[in-house]
């Protein structure tokens, strides 16, 4: 796990230490002030810190049937960049996956002290209601770290699992390519593909260090830095016999390269297109080899995780035994401090994370 501490941007690798409790909003139960990030303006190109504003208010009280949670971890994700263009309202609070502890409840389903997953992120405190989309108590799995619920067992892990088992229908021995393989979905997909018996696994990443980590520590058979040349050529070198399936987190030239490398009846799970998130009004040209989808009888299908909440228990049954034994460890980069949420978000968009990018705001 990589940790970014409040004293500066330097990254260290190892177990995250205790949170800095000099910030009152990060000491559980001590703060009576709730803080929230709002979208102040729409971006033009890569986002900048001035597009966000920080607002303070008293910690809310629960109404009947609701509970107030103090957030411990926040998730910052690539899709948040897309939401800045049109999904989020200017001047309104942001949203995102979060893990919090109940500090006050008027809902019989939630007791004080319960840990709850929800979608009211980008804030220190939130009001949640049982039965709302994305709201659920953290299951009681001994030996499973909290970061797993925000990564491998959360929306990121569920996306990877659905892409592999539902969209790609990956079978033992089949060869797989994963773009942005050092990111949240990419690392999760690589872990799970190996557990599912995949054959050769190839990944792309944005730095030599990430490439070395994928092949040296994360079980990838080959990986390449996409800055080193045309993606199609780099992929052909890494997978000279072709591939059966592709988890696409990038789009653009990565998608074109994968289409060229796929064998007949290959499959593509399109999770995201981070290559065009910062040029939404002028997206890059579509791959010139799209007709190969017809020629090779390929299948391309988008992955929308919200359509697969019913697969959550299957994911947990699959992964929890491996998490308990330590055979699988959550791959996360943790930024310390609520005040650094925007830093973590922008860092994730720049590719500064390995695995899932999380913000820790309380112990």
């Amino acid at each position: 796990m990589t940790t970014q501490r409040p004293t500066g941007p330097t990254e260290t690798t190892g177990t995250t230490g205790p949170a800095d409790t000099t910030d009152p909003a990060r000491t559980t139960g001590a703060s009576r002030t709730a803080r929230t990030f709002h979208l102040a303006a729409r971006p033009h190109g890569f986002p900048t810190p001035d597009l966000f504003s920080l607002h303070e208010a008293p910690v809310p009280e629960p109404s009947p049937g609701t509970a107030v949670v103090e957030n411990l971890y926040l998730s910052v994700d690539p899709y948040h960049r897309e939401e800045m263009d049109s999904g989020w309202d200017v001047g309104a609070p942001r949203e995102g996956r979060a893990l919090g502890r109940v500090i006050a409840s008027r809902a019989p389903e939630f007791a004080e002290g319960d840990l709850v997953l929800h979608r009211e992120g980008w804030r220190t405190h939130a009001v949640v209601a049982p039965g709302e989309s994305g709201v659920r108590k953290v299951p009681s799995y001994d030996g499973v770290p909290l970061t797993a619920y925000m990564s491998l067992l959360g929306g990121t892990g569920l996306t990877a699992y659905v892409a592999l088992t539902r969209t790609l229908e990956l079978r033992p021995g089949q060869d797989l390519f994963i773009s942005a393989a050092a990111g949240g979905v990419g690392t999760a997909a690589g872990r799970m593909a190996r557990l599912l018996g995949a054959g050769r696994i190839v990944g792309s990443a944005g730095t030599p260090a990430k490439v070395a980590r994928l092949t040296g520590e994360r079980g990838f058979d080959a990986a390449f830095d996409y800055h080193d040349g045309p993606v199609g050529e780099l992929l052909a070198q890494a997978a000279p016999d072709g591939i059966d399936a592709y988890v696409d987190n990038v789009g653009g030239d990565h998608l074109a390269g994968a289409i060229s490398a796929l064998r007949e009846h290959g499959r593509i799970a399109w999770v995201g297109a981070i290559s065009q998130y910062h040029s939404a009004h002028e997206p890059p040209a579509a791959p010139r080899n799209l007709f190969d989808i017809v020629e090779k009888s390929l299948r391309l299908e988008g992955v929308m995780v919200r359509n697969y909440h019913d697969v959550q228990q299957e994911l947990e049954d699959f992964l929890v035994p491996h998490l308990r034994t330590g055979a699988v460890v959550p791959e996360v980069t943790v930024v310390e401090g609520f005040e650094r949420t925007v830093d973590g978000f922008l860092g994730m968009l720049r590719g500064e994370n390995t695995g899932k990018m999380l913000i820790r705001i309380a112990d």
Side-chain angles (χ1 to χ4, degrees):
M1 178 169 64
T2 302
T3 304
Q4 296 183 350
R5 300 191 181 279
T7 52
T10 303
E11 295 188 5
T12 60
T13 301
T15 302
T16 304
D20 178 4
T21 57
T22 58
D23 178 354
R26 291 167 53 202
T27 304
T28 300
S31 174
R32 302 311 301 166
T33 300
R35 297 189 291 167
T36 306
F37 279 104
H38 291 208
L39 181 65
R42 302 235 181 256
H44 298 281
F46 195 91
T48 52
D50 60 293
L51 299 176
F52 302 87
S53 58
L54 185 59
H55 297 255
E56 294 188 349
V59 172
E61 296 292 336
S63 58
T66 70
V68 176
V69 298
E70 182 179 39
N71 287 330
L72 309 178
Y73 284 95
L74 307 178
S75 173
V76 288
D77 298 288
Y79 82 89
H80 290 165
R81 172 61 187 85
E82 293 182 278
E83 296 294 330
M84 293 179 72
D85 287 324
S86 59
W88 288 345
D89 293 331
V90 173
R94 307 287 37 84
E95 67 86 26
R97 298 184 182 100
L99 172 66
R101 178 180 288 110
V102 175
I103 59 173
S105 178
R106 297 182 66 185
E109 297 88 345
F110 292 154
E112 290 188 19
D114 284 347
L115 293 174
V116 177
L117 291 160
H118 60 92
R119 298 191 63 88
E120 298 294 318
W122 289 75
R123 68 200 73 193
T124 58
H125 299 77
V127 178
V128 301
E132 288 183 342
S133 176
V135 176
R136 63 189 182 97
K137 285 177 61 173
V138 169
S140 179
Y141 295 128
D142 292 338
V144 175
L146 285 184
T147 54
Y149 298 104
M150 295 291 287
S151 54
L152 288 171
L153 297 181
T156 298
L158 185 59
T159 299
Y161 186 73
V162 165
L164 294 172
T165 64
R166 299 310 197 266
T167 311
L168 298 180
E169 298 177 339
L170 188 71
R171 296 184 290 277
Q174 292 189 328
D175 299 327
L176 176 70
F177 172 44
I178 304 170
S179 59
V185 172
T187 54
R191 292 278 196 182
M192 295 180 196
R194 186 58 72 203
L195 294 173
L196 291 166
R200 186 172 177 81
I201 303 178
V202 177
S204 70
T207 68
K210 288 183 177 181
V211 168
R213 193 166 186 176
L214 289 174
T215 56
E217 303 175 20
R218 296 298 173 252
F220 281 69
D221 297 284
F224 59 86
D225 183 341
Y226 62 84
H227 295 105
D228 289 344
V231 171
E233 295 179 11
L234 296 170
L235 178 57
Q237 295 170 14
D241 297 325
I243 56 175
D244 297 294
Y246 171 44
V247 177
D248 189 7
N249 296 297
V250 177
D253 56 353
H254 279 72
L255 177 57
I259 290 172
S260 295
L262 279 162
R263 301 167 182 143
E264 286 195 2
H265 303 287
R267 290 92 64 209
I268 301 168
W270 198 346
V271 174
I274 198 168
S275 65
Q276 66 187 60
Y277 286 169
H278 311 305
S279 56
H281 302 297
E282 296 181 10
R288 292 180 176 272
N289 58 349
L290 282 178
F291 194 74
D292 286 356
I293 293 176
V294 177
E295 289 289 328
K296 295 197 283 186
S297 298
L298 306 181
R299 176 162 58 84
L300 185 156
E301 183 178 336
V303 180
M304 187 60 70
V305 70
R306 68 185 179 210
N307 298 327
Y308 293 93
H309 293 310
D310 59 330
V311 183
Q312 179 67 40
Q313 189 58 54
E314 180 183 323
L315 168 68
E316 294 176 14
D317 293 342
F318 174 66
L319 276 184
V320 165
H322 301 289
L323 287 163
R324 281 175 162 163
T325 64
V328 172
V329 177
E331 187 79 22
V332 298
T333 298
V334 176
V335 172
E336 294 280 9
F338 178 74
E339 68 282 357
R340 296 193 64 206
T341 300
V342 174
D343 294 339
F345 172 60
L346 300 181
M348 178 273 302
L349 293 178
R350 288 191 291 263
E352 295 174 1
N353 57 302
T354 299
K356 186 78 183 71
M357 180 71 95
L358 299 176
I359 314 299
R360 186 167 74 169
I361 62 176
D363 289 333

